[in-house]
């Protein structure tokens, strides 16, 4: 800690910021534009599938296509998010730029044919591979490439969800459990912000979610600025959200591990995965668990948006979405995990709200962020996401549910390259 | 990163949480109650001084009293916040429990006789010393005492401002520049929350601040969810806020260092300090820069609350408050730095708002949190404080102004025991 003002220090800091502004602006422009393209394609693919149910029957074939896409042109792109995280921890092999087009294409294919997946993984991989490419092109030092990669993650994440602050903090928080380092704080914030601006400029809009309850009825404890009983219920729900995160991560890793162990012909894995998704769709009797799940093809169906209302999710919607997604992503299809985690959380929140007597939109919103917090071990980013998506009024409940879910998810998570910096007990 | 669910892990985490709930509850009860008493006394002292202007003439005598209070009974209490932080970094000498009553008494004396100071330092020292006392009494391990101390800081901070989430994150973030470690995440949140509840239960209420602008007039850029020009202005203001933080920290350290160097009779330091404050008060012609500064004794005067309105601060209000506080705290009086930092920031924001053409309440609010963020190097806690105090609508501007101020304050800060974990360039 310095005690004196040093002019040279201010000078260095200013230079550092100018340098990163110049590096990050074009990165955010490219990543933001690619994410905008991706979101547009995803929207078209989802609408097209809604109007052509038979596409689901081709899911196994789509899986083979994705398998050979990666096998023939992928190099080490298969590593995905984990490859980018490894490269930040220990610069080495590099992230190939071809990861960006490959992951966009394969994710759109996954969604077009009805795989259950998300989009943040895709956006993060686009961000990371463009950042790595730019770093190589500009001959940056390994330390600077590290910061570029983190800025790339922030740009991808911030752009895909329209949440710039969450994007920046997510990029810093996701690398290791239990620690945030600020080495790339401002580059990440700038990248995330600019990329979000770029997506907006391309005319792409994000879904708005609302927690509408304005008043919690006054109780004998209303001298407090919050409701103590509600807080206890939120803690109980937080434990359930954390266990759901753990279940999702464990199941996805388990399916991946077992199918690689038992199915010797690798291209058969997505075929079997695709067939299982088809069989499950007919067994459950709804296509609501296919695709992103933000909206449903029938207005009253199971979806993230509907989970904020009474009857918008059945008691086991969360479980079905969890199963569909684990199979899709564990058996060779592409896409992110986060939007399905939003679905699982919001649907579980919907169910728990009825059991616990809590306003449904509040608990759906808390599940939305908390299951994600538990599965990625990013409780601070998710608390901020609550503020960015739902407003600041319930920040206390956001923090309590995300932190509780974070603890109860244990040292598991969806990113195998995430390190453990500070354990949870 | 584990890939499998381990029942034993969940069991350990649950046990860890139960243990800390039991340890933290009584801590929060005591700290919250003491903070409530302190806030009540502070309020009485401020009102009494407003009605008895002549008390200011006794400020030098009050300074002598504080000096001998610490000299005779203080042991190492003089170390204050820095002693607590050192103890967390390297457990050793211990924090004496007597720090709590001493700091409450000496802060109330400082305020009663018109010193310009805050209250967070006092609350944090109450939290830390009670935590250390409890740790010793319960014969906790050094690792557990560390967590108790952090929970004590969180309890004190959360209780004194009514911002539980900010309290928890502040306790984790303040220890080292550029890093947050989550080792005490949930104990800190619980301590902060319970202590806040306790303060509320004692009937103590916190000041409400409002950023009222609801609509920013639509511009050609209104396809974005924010205003790009406003964002640029916020960055410029953030640089000014960061430099003000640096100026405050440098000046306070400088005054302390120089007066210890040149004034051999230590008890003379607060006498000279007190006389300087009296002389300045008459030179400036207002008593608005004495005490906390949340409100002013005359309704239209300079104060934090008024700085949110047009004409609520003069162009140099921020400078005067900075000078009054640096002298008060640099020359042996007691209290925190944070409320004066709020004043400096809000007044500077008020002045800059006119120059930059930005809504006054918005820039006053941003200054409020950003100067504090720069001076304590806690940009995340301050972003969250913005949400807790002013609502979530402007979180983007909170983050941008706090992060910018954090960078431009350099590696200086008000806490000399804060370490540098990750540098800013």
């Amino acid at each position: 800690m310095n005690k004196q003002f040093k002019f040279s220090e201010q000078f260095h800091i200013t230079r550092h910021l100018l340098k990163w502004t110049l590096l990050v602006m074009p990165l955010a422009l490219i990543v933001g534009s690619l994410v905008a393209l991706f979101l547009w394609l995803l929207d078209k693919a989802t609408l097209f599938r809604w109007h052509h149910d038979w596409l689901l029957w081709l899911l196994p074939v789509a899986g083979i296509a994705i398998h050979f896409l990666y096998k023939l042109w992928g190099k080490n792109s298969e590593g995905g998010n984990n490859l980018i995280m490894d490269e930040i921890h220990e610069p080495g092999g590099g992230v190939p730029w071809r990861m960006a087009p490959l992951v966009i294409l394969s994710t759109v294919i996954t969604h077009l044919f009805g795989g259950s997946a998300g989009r943040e993984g895709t956006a993060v991989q686009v961000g990371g591979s463009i950042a790595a490419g730019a770093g190589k092109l500009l001959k940056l030092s390994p330390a600077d490439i590290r910061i570029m990669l983190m800025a790339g993650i922030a740009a991808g994440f911030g752009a895909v969800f329209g949440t710039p602050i969450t994007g920046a903090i997510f990029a810093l928080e996701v690398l290791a459990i239990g620690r945030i380092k600020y080495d790339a704080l401002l580059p990440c914030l700038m990248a995330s912000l600019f990329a979000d601006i770029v997506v907006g400029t391309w005319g792409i809009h994000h879904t708005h979610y609302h927690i509408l309850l304005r008043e919690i009825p006054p109780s004998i404890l209303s001298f407090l600025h919050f409701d103590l009983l509600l807080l206890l219920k939120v803690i109980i729900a937080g434990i359930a959200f954390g266990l759901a995160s753990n279940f999702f991560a464990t199941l996805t890793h388990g399916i991946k591990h077992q199918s690689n162990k038992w199915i010797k012909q690798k291209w058969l894995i997505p075929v079997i995965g695709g067939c299982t998704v088809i069989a499950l769709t007919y067994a459950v009797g709804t296509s609501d668990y296919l695709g992103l799940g933000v909206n449903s093809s029938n207005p009253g169906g199971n979806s993230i948006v509907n989970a904020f209302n009474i009857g918008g999710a059945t008691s086991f919607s969360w479980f079905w979405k969890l199963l569909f997604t684990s199979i899709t992503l564990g058996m060779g299809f592409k896409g992110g995990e986060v939007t399905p985690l939003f679905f699982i959380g919001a649907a579980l929140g919907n169910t728990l709200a009825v059991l616990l007597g809590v306003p449904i939109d509040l608990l759906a919103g808390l599940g939305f962020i908390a299951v994600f917090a538990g599965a990625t071990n990013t409780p601070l980013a998710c608390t901020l996401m609550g503020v960015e998506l739902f407003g600041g009024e319930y920040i206390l409940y956001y923090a309590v549910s995300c932190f509780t879910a974070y603890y109860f998810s244990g040292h598991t998570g969806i990113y195998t390259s995430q390190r453990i910096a500070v354990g949870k007990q």
Side-chain angles (χ1 to χ4, degrees), chain A:
Chain A
M1 166 65 66
N2 300 328
K3 290 192 189 178
Q4 289 183 324
F5 179 82
K6 288 182 191 160
F7 185 74
S8 65
E9 190 180 81
Q10 305 294 321
F11 175 75
H12 281 301
I13 288 172
T14 310
R15 204 182 53 179
H16 170 83
L17 289 184
L18 284 179
K19 167 182 155 187
W20 282 105
T21 308
L22 291 177
L23 283 173
V24 149
M25 283 274 215
L27 173 68
L29 181 67
I30 299 171
V31 174
S33 300
L34 285 173
V35 167
L37 172 70
F38 167 61
L39 287 174
W40 182 81
L41 286 172
L42 205 56
D43 201 43
K44 295 291 163 219
T46 301
L47 282 175
F48 194 80
R49 180 175 57 77
W50 284 0
H51 292 113
H52 303 84
D53 285 340
W54 51 269
L55 283 168
L56 179 61
W57 291 104
L58 298 180
L59 187 60
V61 184
I64 300 179
I66 293 172
H67 175 80
F68 284 104
L69 261 178
Y70 273 86
K71 188 158 179 175
L72 297 177
W73 293 293
K75 283 195 185 171
N76 54 346
S77 297
E78 187 78 43
N81 292 8
N82 290 312
L83 181 66
I84 298 171
M85 287 166 69
D86 281 336
E87 196 63 24
I88 294 174
H89 288 307
E90 277 171 50
V95 179
W97 69 266
R98 64 180 68 194
M99 184 191 262
L102 267 178
V103 76
I104 291 179
L105 186 61
S106 58
T107 305
V108 173
I109 292 176
T110 298
H111 281 271
L112 181 63
F113 295 95
S116 170
R119 45 197 171 173
E120 115 294 338
T122 312
V124 163
Q125 289 175 45
V126 168
S129 64
I130 300 296
K136 206 186 277 178
L137 198 75
L138 300 169
K139 296 193 172 55
L140 298 183
S141 70
D144 283 352
I145 289 183
R146 240 189 110 247
I147 296 183
M148 278 295 266
L149 284 170
M150 291 162 78
I153 294 179
F157 194 99
V160 82
F161 294 122
T163 53
I165 299 167
T166 310
I169 302 300
F170 178 81
L172 303 175
E173 195 178 25
V174 74
L175 299 173
I177 294 181
R179 189 188 61 199
I180 289 193
K181 278 163 69 179
Y182 291 7
D183 43 358
L185 191 69
L186 232 69
C188 283
L189 183 63
M190 287 190 289
S192 182
L193 240 169
F194 292 142
D196 180 42
I197 292 176
V198 171
V199 170
T201 312
W202 283 109
I204 303 288
H205 296 287
H206 301 280
T207 312
H208 287 279
Y209 302 95
H210 295 286
I211 298 182
L212 288 174
L213 80 158
R214 287 277 145 222
E215 288 290 331
I216 293 163
S219 70
I220 49 158
L221 293 167
S222 35
F223 56 87
L224 305 172
H225 22 181
F226 53 87
D227 184 314
L228 205 59
L229 184 64
L230 179 58
L231 189 72
L232 285 176
K233 290 174 178 176
V234 166
I235 293 172
I236 294 169
I239 296 174
F241 295 144
L243 295 176
S245 312
N246 188 305
F247 183 29
F248 176 78
T250 309
L251 189 64
T252 308
H253 293 312
I255 288 175
K256 186 171 270 174
H257 180 73
Q258 296 300 333
S259 44
N260 269 304
K261 190 170 161 191
W262 297 104
I263 308 173
K264 295 296 164 200
Q265 285 295 343
K266 295 307 163 211
W267 61 268
L268 261 177
I269 296 176
V271 173
I272 296 172
C275 292
T276 315
V277 169
I278 296 170
L280 273 171
T281 306
Y282 282 87
V284 183
T286 171
S287 61
D288 284 351
Y289 306 116
L290 304 176
L292 269 185
V294 173
N295 294 292
S296 165
S297 54
N298 63 322
N302 298 288
S303 71
I304 300 180
V305 170
N306 287 346
F308 283 73
N309 304 315
I310 297 175
T314 64
S315 305
F316 290 97
S317 291
W318 67 272
F319 171 76
W320 292 118
K321 187 65 183 175
L322 194 155
L323 191 62
F324 272 79
T325 311
S326 296
I327 293 168
T328 303
L329 297 178
M331 299 186 79
F333 292 91
K334 295 291 162 183
E337 293 90 350
V338 173
T339 309
L341 287 169
F342 292 164
F343 189 124
I344 296 164
L348 183 56
N350 183 300
T351 302
L352 290 174
V354 178
L355 292 175
L356 293 168
V358 175
I360 283 180
D361 51 356
L362 179 63
L363 215 53
L366 297 182
F368 184 112
I369 52 177
V371 172
F372 167 35
T376 56
N377 295 300
T378 57
L380 261 183
C382 292
T383 301
L384 292 165
M385 182 173 240
V387 177
E388 288 196 295
L389 290 181
F390 312 130
E393 207 167 343
Y394 303 108
I395 184 172
L396 183 74
Y397 304 112
Y398 304 158
V400 169
S401 59
C402 288
F403 290 11
T404 308
Y406 164 76
Y407 267 91
F408 278 88
S409 75
H411 296 96
T412 324
I414 56 175
Y415 305 121
T416 47
S417 295
Q418 191 175 50
R419 303 206 169 172
I420 301 177
V422 177
K424 298 185 186 180
Q425 84 276 32

